Amino acid sequence: GNVVRDHYYDGINCQSDQTIVGNTVSDNQGTGIECTASFTGTIRENVVTGSGGYGIYGNGNSSEWCRVEGNTVSGNSNYGIYAYTNCSVSGNICHSNGSTGIRLRSGGEAVGNVSYNNVESGIWAERTRVVRENRCYVNAGTAGIVAHRASEVTGNVVYSNVTGIYGYGSSSPRFRGRVANNLIYDNAEFGIQIRYAHSSSGLHARVVNNTVHQGVGDAVYVHTSSEDVDLRNNILWVEDGACIRV
């Protein structure tokens, strides 16, 4: 691979269906690796550090996603990985970035990543996303995992954040996603927090089959005009706080 560093703008900028693999990209003033609209290639096994913007930016299309796989992304000023549209983000390590480790904006998935010690959240799934089998810990902002609208958050291990998993909506649209089969422990305030949940388009918020341990704080907190939340089959253990607060 190439060593790409100290550029005034992006380190690597590309389009179409290229494969970007095995590069070391550091200390560029823009984004480390930027793949713009309708990129359907693969960004794989790169080391991206010290960018003035995002570490990696990917933007796929509706018929074929872009793939961001197996990269190590750290110390960038903004998001570690910004998957703008229709991206599969898998097997990456994202840490010590100046905002969220992995940000999913529209469509796509985050599977099997490790995201830790970021200034904001570990993974932020805006709009509707799949967040599955990731490990998120010691993130300083909103939560280990933040999920919006009808996002599916399943099979993750989330610990030592402010909140473990935060499912949120607004007055419109409401949160109607699924938080299931996660292991959540030792977060500072809440294990799972649900805000502005309501049924819509045949879906409603579901919090099922999770294991949550809190030394302090609440295991599950449902608030801000939430209704139609299905809370069942969870194992909740709290030493100083409430198992369920509504």
Side-chain angles (χ1 to χ4, degrees):
N2 303 288
V3 175
V4 182
R5 60 173 300 161
D6 296 321
H7 288 279
Y8 177 75
Y9 194 54
D10 299 336
I12 298 173
N13 189 293
C14 63
Q15 299 182 10
S16 189
D17 61 351
Q18 297 149 326
T19 297
I20 302 167
V21 59
N23 302 285
T24 300
V25 183
S26 64
D27 301 313
N28 299 286
Q29 293 187 35
T31 294
I33 300 174
E34 179 161 341
C35 298
T36 54
S38 297
F39 177 77
T40 57
T42 301
I43 306 167
R44 186 174 71 243
E45 296 174 1
N46 302 281
V47 176
V48 184
T49 63
S51 304
Y54 312 124
I56 296 173
Y57 175 91
N59 189 0
N61 64 44
S62 59
S63 61
E64 186 174 356
W65 290 3
C66 73
R67 293 168 298 282
V68 182
E69 304 170 345
N71 303 280
T72 299
V73 185
S74 66
N76 301 285
S77 294
N78 206 314
Y79 308 138
I81 296 173
Y82 190 13
Y84 189 79
T85 303
N86 297 325
C87 291
S88 176
V89 180
S90 63
N92 302 280
I93 299 172
C94 296
H95 68 90
S96 309
N97 296 288
S99 185
T100 292
I102 300 170
R103 181 72 179 247
L104 306 172
R105 183 183 175 276
S106 180
E109 62 183 12
V111 179
N113 303 282
V114 177
S115 187
Y116 66 95
N117 197 38
N118 298 289
V119 170
E120 225 307 314
S121 298
I123 299 173
W124 193 301
E126 188 181 352
R127 302 184 183 177
T128 300
R129 295 288 188 283
V130 172
V131 182
R132 177 167 48 88
E133 297 174 2
N134 304 280
R135 183 157 60 100
C136 297
Y137 60 98
V138 197
N139 297 286
T142 305
I145 298 173
V146 180
H148 189 215
R149 295 190 182 179
S151 294
E152 296 270 332
V153 183
T154 61
N156 302 281
V157 179
V158 188
Y159 58 95
S160 299
N161 308 280
V162 177
T163 291
I165 297 174
Y166 177 37
Y168 80 103
S170 59
S171 56
S172 179
R174 298 294 189 99
F175 179 72
R176 56 190 189 280
R178 184 168 70 104
V179 179
N181 303 309
N182 301 284
L183 174 61
I184 305 162
Y185 60 93
D186 292 346
N187 296 286
E189 295 182 0
F190 308 107
I192 299 171
Q193 185 177 177
I194 303 295
R195 177 178 181 268
Y196 271 125
H198 194 279
S199 58
S200 178
S201 302
L203 296 174
H204 62 277
R206 290 143 293 160
V207 179
V208 296
N209 299 329
N210 301 284
T211 298
V212 184
H213 172 259
Q214 287 289 113
V216 296
D218 302 329
V220 179
Y221 179 31
V222 180
H223 63 104
T224 315
S225 302
S226 291
E227 55 186 68
D228 298 327
V229 178
D230 184 4
L231 177 65
R232 57 186 170 85
N233 296 339
N234 300 284
I235 299 172
L236 308 177
W237 175 22
V238 176
E239 297 178 40
D240 185 7
C243 282
I244 301 170
R245 183 155 71 98
V246 296

